[in-house]
Amino acid sequence: MKNGVQALIGAQWGDEGKGRVVDALARDADVVVRYQGGANAGHTVIVEGKKHVFHLLPSGMLYPDRLCVIGNGVVLDPEQFISEVNGLEPAPEKIGTRLVVSNNAHVVMPYHKQLDVLSEQARKTMRHGAVIGTTGRGIGSCYVDKYNRVGIRIEDLASPKILEEKLRMNVEEKNLILEKLYGVPGLNFDELYETSLSWGRFMERYIGDSSCEIDSAVKSGKKVLFEGAQGTLLDVDHGTYPFVTSSSCVSGGCCTGGALSPGRFDRVIGVAKAYCTRVGEGPFPTEDHGASGERLRERGAEYGATTGRPRRCGWLDIVALNYAVRINGFGVIALTKLDVLSGFDELKVCTGYEIDGLRSVGFPNSAYALDGVAPVYESFPSWWEDISKCRTFDELPVTARDYIGFIEKSTGVPVGLIGVGPGREDTIFRDF
Ligand code: IMP
């Protein structure tokens, strides 16, 4: 890994293939940090033909002798956490990997998941309800409690008295919402309290001060990788609001969610797919509803790692990518799934939008404005060769090299890593 402290950020609507890039970088990293989101993420890594999907654990867990950190900005579902830790074979302790969960991260309680689903269902029946198409993992409802200052933090799980106090208040309040608003049975405090204490007993050995852990790693010159979840266009501030997730997915989110000051980062890596996908609702200017979109979905196996939903597919959007470059300050781009573009009659790349008949190259980050844009495309020839065995840039067909060259020219950012297949080894590194 080239630089000391790096952030790896999704440049599109999530699902850019960050898991495999983190996996490639984690080989040389000492510390891997998750800093936002929760089990709504699904990071897939394929090692020796075996597929590993992490929703919560940092992707660095597959390497020995790493420190893996779940930062304060994460919302952690203990059930998911316990099942992922128990599913690791061999256990992290056996390979010398340490896992630290921030005492200040927030707990996704079962009622958060229930409220997430109920609120989406209710919106479907409302005349003016905007359905987001959430993953149902309780992410938004948990962040609501965090910002409403009633959330339960990880440290509370290991403090029976504080937990009792906070949980009583939450159960009382949530029961009002569940019973009076949604007309469903309320929560049973005793059951929930016992379950939460059992989570605390399991998690106790992992709870720590993630901020101090990261700080001392950076001070001692260790290589630290911040692993973003979701993507720039799903960021709660900078994405296509309201069709976004509830956390800060952009590079700035690393500072608050990972507790490291901006000046200590050496490089921000943007991960972009060679085309675009989106799950859930919201505008997607380059979505292809025809045979090309279908082909991208089938060839790219574009089905959600968390929910299994088919992803909406379309062409690379340079306008949106340039927006992500600006918001995040990418120093390099990792371009994934280039192999999926083999064998198309024509590749399209969106280089501008037409808004009310006028050409624009600016990205309107309001979902309502974006909904009305018409993409302006440039056309590129594809290639017919199987590129999955290429390991150097020069081995790629000239049309594939031109496609990458166009991305570099249009964004002003070098493409340093190219994914040419699903496996760990199917990667071209160019001065990365
Ligand atoms: P939530 O994060 O579950 O609240 O969902 C909000 C929106 O973000 C929905 O459109 C989801 O499909 C989308 N989303 C959340 N996590 C991911 C992800 O990891 N990849 C892609 N889309 C996601």
Side-chain angles (χ1 to χ4, degrees):
M1 194 161 97
K2 208 171 185 179
N3 295 300
V5 182
Q6 303 198 83
L8 184 130
I9 308 292
Q12 296 157 334
W13 280 284
D15 306 319
E16 297 92 349
K18 293 180 291 297
R20 60 94 39 85
V21 182
V22 176
D23 177 66
L25 288 166
R27 195 176 42 191
D28 298 322
D30 302 298
V31 185
V32 184
V33 185
R34 272 281 312 262
Y35 61 91
Q36 47 75 224
N40 48 349
H43 290 175
T44 308
V45 182
I46 298 175
V47 184
E48 287 159 12
K50 188 167 180 233
K51 187 169 163 181
H52 304 259
V53 182
F54 292 123
H55 297 285
L56 261 179
L57 296 182
S59 305
M61 292 303 298
L62 293 177
Y63 285 98
D65 302 323
R66 297 289 180 282
L67 169 63
C68 289
V69 178
I70 296 184
N72 57 278
V74 169
V75 288
L76 185 141
D77 174 352
E79 281 171 356
Q80 181 67 35
F81 177 83
I82 292 168
S83 113
E84 281 186 33
V85 172
N86 284 338
L88 288 169
E89 192 51 59
E93 292 77 17
K94 286 202 184 132
I95 56 170
T97 291
R98 281 181 59 228
L99 175 60
V100 174
V101 179
S102 166
N103 49 343
N104 290 346
H106 277 247
V107 181
V108 176
M109 299 296 285
Y111 51 76
H112 289 131
K113 292 185 261 187
Q114 194 182 359
L115 289 169
D116 185 356
V117 174
L118 285 169
S119 119
E120 283 274 276
Q121 275 168 359
R123 286 172 192 208
K124 283 187 189 144
T125 65
M126 284 158 50
R127 249 181 77 205
H128 303 291
V131 177
I132 306 293
T134 70
T135 59
R137 298 297 176 107
I139 307 300
S141 350
C142 185
Y143 279 115
V144 164
D145 278 0
K146 170 175 173 170
Y147 288 99
N148 203 19
R149 292 143 300 173
V150 295
I152 293 173
R153 305 220 269 195
I154 295 294
E155 61 191 357
D156 302 330
L157 295 177
S159 304
K161 271 210 76 56
I162 297 171
L163 178 67
E164 181 181 351
E165 207 175 288
K166 285 192 168 185
L167 196 58
R168 280 202 189 282
M169 173 184 69
N170 270 289
V171 166
E172 205 174 329
E173 187 200 44
K174 269 49 178 194
N175 279 350
L176 277 178
I177 300 171
L178 291 170
E179 291 165 1
K180 300 256 174 357
L181 185 63
Y182 291 116
V184 298
L187 309 163
N188 177 316
F189 170 82
D190 293 332
E191 248 174 52
L192 206 47
Y193 183 57
E194 278 313 312
T195 309
S196 307
L197 287 176
S198 74
W199 292 334
R201 284 191 292 274
F202 182 92
M203 296 205 52
E204 215 158 6
R205 76 200 91 157
Y206 301 112
I207 303 175
D209 186 332
S210 59
S211 152
C212 288
E213 294 276 356
I214 297 168
D215 179 61
S216 61
V218 176
K219 272 192 184 128
S220 57
K222 298 245 167 78
K223 292 180 177 176
V224 183
L225 180 66
F226 283 71
E227 172 184 6
Q230 290 83 44
T232 303
L233 304 177
L234 287 174
D235 180 276
V236 68
D237 287 284
H238 306 289
T240 51
Y241 191 89
F243 302 102
V244 293
T245 189
S246 303
S247 64
S248 293
C249 317
V250 300
S251 55
C254 296
C255 303
T256 45
L260 194 68
S261 79
R264 299 177 82 184
F265 285 81
D266 293 293
R267 185 166 78 159
V268 182
I269 302 165
V271 186
K273 226 169 344 203
Y275 49 97
C276 277
T277 61
R278 170 164 208 168
V279 271
E281 305 302 318
F284 179 3
T286 62
E287 182 169 12
D288 188 297
H289 297 279
S292 296
E294 190 53 42
R295 186 181 159 94
L296 288 170
R297 181 162 22 286
E298 291 318 314
R299 284 188 54 96
E302 297 294 355
Y303 296 88
T306 303
T307 58
R309 290 180 288 181
R311 295 177 184 143
R312 300 156 63 192
C313 297
W315 301 108
L316 183 67
D317 185 338
I318 292 284
V319 182
L321 187 56
N322 270 328
Y323 173 70
V325 168
R326 172 165 69 81
I327 295 286
N328 294 291
F330 295 149
V332 66
I333 289 174
L335 191 74
T336 60
K337 291 192 150 182
L338 186 67
D339 53 305
V340 174
L341 296 185
S342 299
F344 276 83
D345 292 332
E346 173 199 27
L347 301 176
K348 294 204 277 184
V349 175
C350 169
T351 52
Y353 294 153
E354 235 178 62
I355 307 173
D356 297 329
L358 294 174
R359 176 86 185 258
S360 162
V361 289
F363 183 77
N365 68 345
S366 140
Y368 303 102
L370 197 59
D371 219 12
V373 309
V376 179
Y377 287 113
E378 277 192 38
S379 191
F380 291 82
S382 178
W383 49 92
W384 296 92
E385 298 89 328
D386 170 14
I387 61 169
S388 64
K389 300 286 175 293
C390 298
R391 293 293 173 268
T392 64
F393 186 69
D394 292 339
E395 288 171 55
L396 287 171
V398 66
T399 41
R401 281 183 271 149
D402 286 349
Y403 187 78
I404 292 166
F406 184 76
I407 295 171
E408 292 183 319
K409 196 167 125 248
S410 316
T411 58
V413 181
V415 173
L417 179 152
I418 302 154
V420 291
R424 195 179 242 180
E425 58 292 346
D426 305 329
T427 309
I428 297 174
F429 292 94
R430 290 168 83 200
D431 191 27
F432 201 60

